[in-house]
């Protein structure tokens, strides 16, 4: 039996709802009629005046709602569609210190991606808007993370008029002879990009290529100072991470979008570099896998550091990988983003190229950047040599003790995947219920 609302009669409520539904249906029919009339009018204008009239109308400012207007003077990528274009992959290097990650969806500026699109628009290489360019990226690195091997793919303007430049749809990569006369994408883009972003190479790719889903594997490098870390213990623990595992306790969980937390780590190696500072030595962890979860590398490195410091046993890796026994991730701070580098993204039959002139200019730029940072380091080193040490008669302040280490398995835990999904589903159902009440005109 239907329940009564606010003490009212059921029949009156039903009649009110039915009347409201009829009003909404009438309004919907009226809007559909207006839409149909607009479409008919647009088709008539197109037949009478052709596409030039439509473009002229757009130039006068009568653009459709939501159509993007480029901010480059005298340039709208939508009107570049008559140019020849080709689908290409670009290999991108960036130093991530001043960027809010690679992707631009977070509404935080600057991002690497937003700077690349500014350069594409400024150089008039972009054909159509971002959606029409069939843009894809290999990965979304976090704020502060760098890369020397990020890969993106999209349609760019081309100098070549042959069909192979526009549609390499057979799955075969264009022959090198087809590069002759083509736009030097590296030279054009690198001249306008910020100093901490560079295009390292380009390659024509089939139109069914996707920078993310066509990627076979990715390799990250994480640099760290050896100091007093037990490298042997870290290497022993690192071997436990190799293989296919459920890494939900080694990532930031995104239960709304990610439902499978199994990933395959194919290799994890540690080795010293040739960089030293006094008695300290710079080491690097190289981690390769088919794909990675959000913050996965930084979480794995954080646990390895705890093991290297003797705070945890290598067996803690086995316990965290046993998601049946440990369904809730213990709370711990992940490793810093600054030393993390996306080293490479591997694809089948993709060979990045650059002209000799662009290659030499790129090399000269990178050498100059290295020397600039070494100069900065020299200044800080000079300050270290000239700091005023404490005299023997100067009172020393008591050094605060660091908080004692709490074993990972004794720490508070985060919600499990199932708990997160249950909460998400509950919110989703509440949203649908509220939307339904708004439709029928009842108070929420």
């Amino acid at each position: 039996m239907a329940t009564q609302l606010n003490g009212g009669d059921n029949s009156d409520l039903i009649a009110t709802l039915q009347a409201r539904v009829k009003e909404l249906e009438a309004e919907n029919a009226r809007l559909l009629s207006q839409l149909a009339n607009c479409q008919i009018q647009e088709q008539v204008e197109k037949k009478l005046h052709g596409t030039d009239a439509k473009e002229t109308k757009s130039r006068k400012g009568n653009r459709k709602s939501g159509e993007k207007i480029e901010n480059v003077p005298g340039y709208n990528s939508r009107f570049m569609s008559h140019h020849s274009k080709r689908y290409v992959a670009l290999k991108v290097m960036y130093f991530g210190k001043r960027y809010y990650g690679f992707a631009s969806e977070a509404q935080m500026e600057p991002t690497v991606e937003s700077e690349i699109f500014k350069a594409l628009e400024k150089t008039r290489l972009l054909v159509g808007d971002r959606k029409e360019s069939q843009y894809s990226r290999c990965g979304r690195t976090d704020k502060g993370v760098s890369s020397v091997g990020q890969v993106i793919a999209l349609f760019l303007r081309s100098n070549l008029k042959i069909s192979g430049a526009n549609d390499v749809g057979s799955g075969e990569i264009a022959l090198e002879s087809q590069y002759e006369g083509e736009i030097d994408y590296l030279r054009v883009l690198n001249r306008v990009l910020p100093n901490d972003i560079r295009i390292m190479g380009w390659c024509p790719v089939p139109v069914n290529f996707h920078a993310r889903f066509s990627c076979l594997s990715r390799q990250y490098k994480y640099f760290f100072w050896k100091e007093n870390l037990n490298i042997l213990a870290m290497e022993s623990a690192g071997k436990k991470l190799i293989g296919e595992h459920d890494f939900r306790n080694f990532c930031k969980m995104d239960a709304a979008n990610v439902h499978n937390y199994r990933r395959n780590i194919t290799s994890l190696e540690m080795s010293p570099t040739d960089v030293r500072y006094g008695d300290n030595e710079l080491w690097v962890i190289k981690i390769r896998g088919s794909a990675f979860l959000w913050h996965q590398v930084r979480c794995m490195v954080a646990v390895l550091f705890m093991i290297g410091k003797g705070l945890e046993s290598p067996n803690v890796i086995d316990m965290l990988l046993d998601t049946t026994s440990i369904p809730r991730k213990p709370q711990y701070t992940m490793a810093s983003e600054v030393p993390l580098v996306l080293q490479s993204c591997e694809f089948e039959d993709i060979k990045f190229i650059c002209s000799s002139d662009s290659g030499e200019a790129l090399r000269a730029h990178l050498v100059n950047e290295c020397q600039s940072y070494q100069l900065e380091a020299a200044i800080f080193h000079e300050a270290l040599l000239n700091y005023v040490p404490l005299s023997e008669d100067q009172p020393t302040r008591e050094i605060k003790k660091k908080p004692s280490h709490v074993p990972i398995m004794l720490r508070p835990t985060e919600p499990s995947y199932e708990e997160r999904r249950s909460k998400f589903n509950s919110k989703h159902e509440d949203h649908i219920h509220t939307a339904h009440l708004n439709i029928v005109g009842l108070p929420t």
Side-chain angles (χ1 to χ4, degrees):
M1 179 179 294
T3 58
Q4 295 182 350
L5 295 178
N6 299 327
D9 186 78
N10 286 339
S11 59
D12 292 339
L13 175 61
I14 293 173
T16 301
L17 293 176
Q18 289 175 341
R20 179 59 176 161
V21 169
K22 289 181 179 180
E23 291 176 2
L24 292 173
E25 289 175 345
E27 178 68 11
N28 185 49
R30 185 181 66 81
L31 293 174
L32 287 174
S33 177
Q34 287 184 354
L35 177 61
N37 290 336
C38 290
Q39 291 174 340
I40 292 172
Q41 181 66 23
E42 183 180 359
Q43 292 174 0
V44 170
E45 289 183 1
K46 187 174 181 180
K47 289 180 180 180
L48 290 176
H49 305 291
T51 56
D52 290 339
K54 184 178 179 181
E55 289 183 0
T56 303
K57 189 176 181 180
S58 295
R59 291 191 186 99
K60 292 180 180 179
N62 296 325
R63 292 179 173 86
K64 294 180 182 179
S65 175
E67 180 173 312
K68 182 179 180 182
I69 302 174
E70 306 297 342
N71 56 7
V72 180
Y75 168 60
N76 191 315
S77 62
R78 187 175 294 278
F79 302 141
M80 300 289 289
S81 58
H82 63 282
H83 284 272
S84 179
K85 62 182 180 180
R86 77 186 312 166
Y87 198 51
V88 302
L90 300 176
K91 183 178 180 181
V92 185
M93 168 268 166
Y94 49 90
F95 184 54
K97 184 176 181 179
R98 73 181 186 94
Y99 294 105
Y100 287 94
F102 183 83
S104 56
E105 282 89 345
Q107 307 302 321
M108 299 290 287
E109 292 291 339
T111 65
V112 178
E113 197 170 69
S114 63
E115 293 294 333
I116 291 175
F117 270 89
K118 287 178 186 177
L120 290 170
E121 293 170 359
K122 187 173 183 179
T123 56
R124 304 190 179 190
L125 289 177
L126 199 61
V127 181
D129 59 22
R130 178 165 166 171
K131 184 177 181 180
E132 292 170 333
S133 71
Q134 201 170 314
Y135 172 76
S136 63
R137 55 176 174 254
C138 187
R140 298 163 52 102
T141 52
D142 302 330
K143 176 181 180 292
V145 176
S146 302
S147 175
V148 296
Q150 174 73 275
V151 174
I152 64 174
L154 75 171
F155 276 106
L156 296 181
R157 181 165 55 87
S158 172
N159 278 343
L160 305 183
K161 304 301 181 183
I162 58 177
S163 60
N166 296 330
D167 185 7
V168 193
S170 63
E172 298 179 357
I173 303 303
L175 298 175
E176 290 193 18
S177 60
Q178 292 182 298
Y179 304 155
E180 187 176 352
E182 184 55 284
I183 297 172
D184 191 339
Y185 296 115
L186 267 71
R187 181 183 63 84
V188 173
L189 286 170
N190 286 341
R191 287 172 62 181
V192 299
L193 282 167
N195 285 338
D196 47 10
I197 302 177
R198 278 297 179 271
I199 306 300
M200 306 276 282
W202 75 277
C203 179
V205 291
V207 293
N208 61 354
F209 176 88
H210 193 284
R212 177 185 175 190
F213 300 117
S214 299
C215 184
L216 302 177
S217 66
R218 300 158 175 84
Q219 178 170 287
Y220 283 88
K221 283 188 175 182
Y222 195 96
F223 293 91
F224 65 97
W225 291 104
K226 181 179 180 296
E227 297 179 329
N228 296 320
L229 292 173
N230 185 339
I231 299 296
L232 291 178
M234 293 173 64
E235 289 178 330
S236 174
K239 291 178 181 178
K240 298 175 181 291
L241 294 167
I242 298 175
E244 184 176 325
H245 305 284
D246 188 321
F247 285 97
R248 68 183 63 194
N249 289 327
F250 290 91
C251 72
K252 183 174 181 179
M253 193 175 294
D254 181 12
N257 300 302
V258 180
H259 312 297
N260 179 15
Y261 290 86
R262 298 193 68 84
R263 296 293 186 271
N264 184 24
I265 302 298
T266 54
S267 67
L268 193 154
E269 301 173 352
M270 302 181 196
S271 59
T273 70
D274 57 357
V275 178
R276 301 184 67 89
Y277 189 83
D279 295 332
N280 212 347
E281 191 174 26
L282 189 68
W283 278 60
V284 61
I285 304 174
K286 291 180 284 188
I287 304 175
R288 180 181 294 273
S290 55
F292 291 87
L293 297 162
W294 193 6
H295 294 332
Q296 181 181 345
V297 174
R298 293 169 62 189
C299 286
M300 292 192 300
V301 171
V303 176
L304 290 176
F305 281 166
M306 284 187 270
I307 293 170
K309 294 174 182 177
L311 303 174
E312 296 286 347
S313 165
N315 293 332
V316 75
I317 299 290
D318 298 310
M319 291 185 277
L320 291 173
L321 290 176
D322 185 0
T323 56
T324 302
S325 301
I326 312 293
R328 298 180 182 87
K329 175 189 173 185
Q331 295 177 2
Y332 58 88
T333 303
M334 58 186 173
S336 170
E337 72 278 6
V338 176
L340 181 59
V341 180
L342 174 57
Q343 178 71 19
S344 63
C345 304
E346 302 298 329
F347 301 88
E348 185 177 3
D349 297 329
I350 299 296
K351 183 180 180 182
F352 291 100
I353 62 169
C354 69
S355 67
S356 57
D357 290 344
S358 296
E360 183 57 34
L362 176 62
R363 180 184 178 279
H365 172 78
L366 295 176
V367 168
N368 182 68
E369 290 296 298
C370 287
Q371 291 175 345
S372 296
Y373 281 105
Q374 286 175 339
L375 280 175
E376 291 184 17
I379 294 171
F380 281 101
H381 180 71
E382 191 68 18
L384 180 62
L385 296 176
N386 288 274
Y387 88 103
V388 179
L390 292 174
S391 60
E392 293 183 0
D393 58 346
Q394 188 172 356
T396 58
R397 300 178 66 179
E398 184 178 349
I399 300 177
K400 294 182 179 180
K401 294 183 178 180
K402 292 183 179 180
S404 58
H405 177 75
V406 178
I408 285 183
M409 293 306 163
L410 298 180
R411 299 187 182 191
T413 58
E414 299 177 0
S416 66
Y417 168 76
E418 290 75 18
E419 291 168 340
R420 292 175 188 266
R421 283 300 302 176
S422 177
K423 184 176 181 180
F424 173 79
N425 291 335
S426 177
K427 287 184 177 180
H428 185 61
E429 291 172 359
D430 289 343
H431 178 72
I432 293 176
H433 179 65
T434 301
H436 174 71
L437 293 178
N438 288 334
I439 290 175
V440 300
L442 291 176
T444 59

